[in-house]
């Protein structure tokens, strides 16, 4: 997979297409190999996952790692209409409830790319799920001046078709999409890149294998695997397919009262050509002094709060503020508080997207990310990816991300201040969760173990309390959540929520 990605980069930057004049022939032969269908539907079983999280799985309720486990999708059906053009897919799911609940409830999977979204002048994030399919890719190649090049990868010959949509990335760079065709004119891989705030130039790769003639001109792969940034994202086992179905317009309908969204969760950086979105309003940071050299930073209701801890010759930030905008505001406030001390460390409670979005700004600042050991590969891979499609702080000031691991416990101290980091596991929410304990002020700082006054604890908080007891981490008084609480909370609030 890495070699294929490297080959694509070489194709994009160095090679003059040797077969540009034959691209139309390559496309025509590939379309013929796919049965020249105007529309196709296929069905079977699938599984997916929310980006940077774990999916509900009745056989494994505890998160095992990024995108593991994935969420099963039963009765899966996909329709691809090349005439519209559009794509829809639906299925039956079982979903974990909010807050790490292990109560699984039935649901409906539905995603689509509308004809408006499939317009290649529109944001790439909304249309790429159509063009990642073999049928959509070839349609796009035929309409967008594709070029063809012969390459040999891992001992196998491929013809690579390459084209770009009209829409540009936020940086002004052109998006690129490549399709790898084998000697039977079957598409084995389609790849593109999308600017994403934590993953940089995130590779989106779809592989197609086990091509089969299902009869009636329906030629489809039996296995489809999509990865994002190298991590599992979506899979399908195809058991049936039909070409040009008469009921194409009614297959895979949206649930009642729901229009559906684009295929796959949206990712950043898919700007429209000809203009940038309006800047969000400036965030007003408020500080709460918790002790000498210790502050809580917040932007009020809906905030993702951070703590700033002063050491002798540097500062540590606990959490990065959720978004780039909040991270930059917190960095500016920290520099006001401690103008002569660098932010040397930033602690991440867990690697979900709403807790990592501010990290690129801290990397650009030169801070080392402190994270649980299970997250090191994810951060090292994501934050050291090129950012040519983005215009964020790290794209403008590229730096190699430095990541420091905590296994079960790590103490940071310089004789003036102590901060203790602890791994919390097992927990349904993430296998890379950490909390920070500040013994002098008896403060426990944590990410998503939210306690709502007057309501019983969810399964996530129920997992926290026995972990704290096992660690003998029960001598805290103030309980601070990254998600800003309406009022200060204490250990008593947590213990009451779990019935203690």
């Amino acid at each position: 997979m890495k070699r294929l990605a490297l080959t694509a980069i070489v194709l994009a930057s160095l090679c003059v297409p040797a077969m540009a004049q034959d691209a139309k022939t390559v496309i025509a032969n590939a379309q013929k190999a796919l049965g020249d269908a105007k529309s196709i539907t296929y069905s079977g079983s699938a599984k997916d996952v929310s980006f940077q999280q774990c999916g509900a799985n009745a056989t494994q309720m505890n998160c095992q790692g990024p995108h593991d486990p994935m969420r099963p999708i039963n009765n899966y059906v996909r329709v691809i209409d090349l005439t519209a053009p559009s794509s829809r897919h639906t299925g039956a799911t079982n979903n974990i409830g909010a807050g790490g609940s292990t109560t699984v409830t039935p649901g409906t999977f539905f995603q689509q790319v509308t004809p408006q979204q499939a317009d290649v002048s529109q944001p790439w994030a909304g249309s790429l799920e159509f063009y990642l399919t073999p049928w959509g890719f070839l349609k796009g190649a035929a309409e967008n001046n594709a070029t063809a090049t012969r390459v040999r990868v891992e001992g196998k010959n491929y013809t690579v078709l390459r084209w770009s949509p009209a829409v540009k990335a936020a940086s002004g760079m052109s998006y690129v999409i490549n399709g790898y065709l084998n000697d039977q004119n079957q598409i084995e891989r389609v790849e593109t890149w999308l600017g994403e705030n934590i993953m940089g130039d995130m590779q989106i790769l779809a592989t197609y294998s086990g091509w089969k003639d299902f009869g009636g001109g329906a030629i489809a792969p039996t296995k489809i695997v999509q990865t994002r940034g190298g991590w599992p994202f979506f899979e399908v086992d195809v058991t049936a397919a039909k070409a040009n179905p008469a009921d194409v317009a009614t297959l895979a309908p949206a649930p009642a009262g729901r229009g559906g969204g684009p295929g796959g969760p949206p990712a950043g950086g898919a700007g429209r050509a000809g203009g940038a979105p309006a800047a969000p309003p400036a965030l007003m940071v408020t500080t709460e002094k918790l002790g000498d050299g210790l502050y809580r930073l917040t932007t009020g209701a809906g905030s993702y709060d951070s703590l700033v801890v002063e050491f002798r010759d540097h500062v540590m930030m606990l959490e990065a503020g959720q978004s780039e905008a909040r991270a930059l505001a917190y960095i500016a406030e920290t520099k006001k508080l401690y103008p002569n001390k660098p932010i040397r460390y930033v602690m991440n409670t867990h690697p979900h997207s709403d807790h990592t979005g501010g990290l690129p700004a801290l990397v650009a600042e030169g801070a080392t990310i402190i994270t649980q050991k299970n997250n090191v590969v994810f951060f090292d891979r994501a934050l050291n990816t090129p950012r040519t499609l983005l215009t964020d702080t790290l794209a403008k000031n590229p730096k190699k991300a430095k990541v420091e691991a905590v296994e079960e416990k790590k103490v940071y101290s310089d004789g003036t201040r102590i901060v203790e980091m602890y791994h919390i596991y097992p927990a349904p929410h993430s296998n890379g969760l950490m909390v920070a304990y500040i013994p002098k002020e008896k403060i426990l700082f944590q990410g998503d173990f939210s306690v709502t006054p007057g309501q019983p604890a969810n399964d996530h908080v129920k997992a926290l309390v026995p972990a704290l007891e096992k660690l003998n981490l029960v001598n805290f008084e103030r309980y601070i959540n990254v998600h800003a609480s309406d009022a200060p909370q204490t250990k008593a609030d947590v213990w009451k929520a779990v019935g203690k």
Side-chain angles (χ1 to χ4, degrees), residues 87-89 110-114 117 126 254 258-266:
S87 167
R88 304 182 302 280
H89 44 166
F110 178 79
Q111 292 176 352
Q112 70 175 345
V113 178
T114 66
Q117 291 168 322
R258 178 180 175 188

Side-chain angles (χ1 to χ4, degrees), residues 68 72 84 86 89 113 149 162 190 193 196 203 216 282 293 308 313 337 350 354 363 427 445 459 464:
D68 178 19
S86 65
H89 44 166
V113 178
T149 305
R162 176 177 182 263
V190 181
W193 288 262
E196 203 279 330
Q203 184 199 37
V308 175
D313 60 356
L337 292 169
H350 62 295
D354 62 328
V363 172
F445 179 78
D459 291 341
L464 171 66

Side-chain angles (χ1 to χ4, degrees), residues 156-159 180-188:
K156 189 170 184 177
N157 293 322
Y158 288 96
T159 297
Y180 290 78
L181 285 70
N182 61 26
D183 288 341
Q184 289 75 47
N185 296 314
Q186 298 165 335
I187 293 181
E188 291 191 4

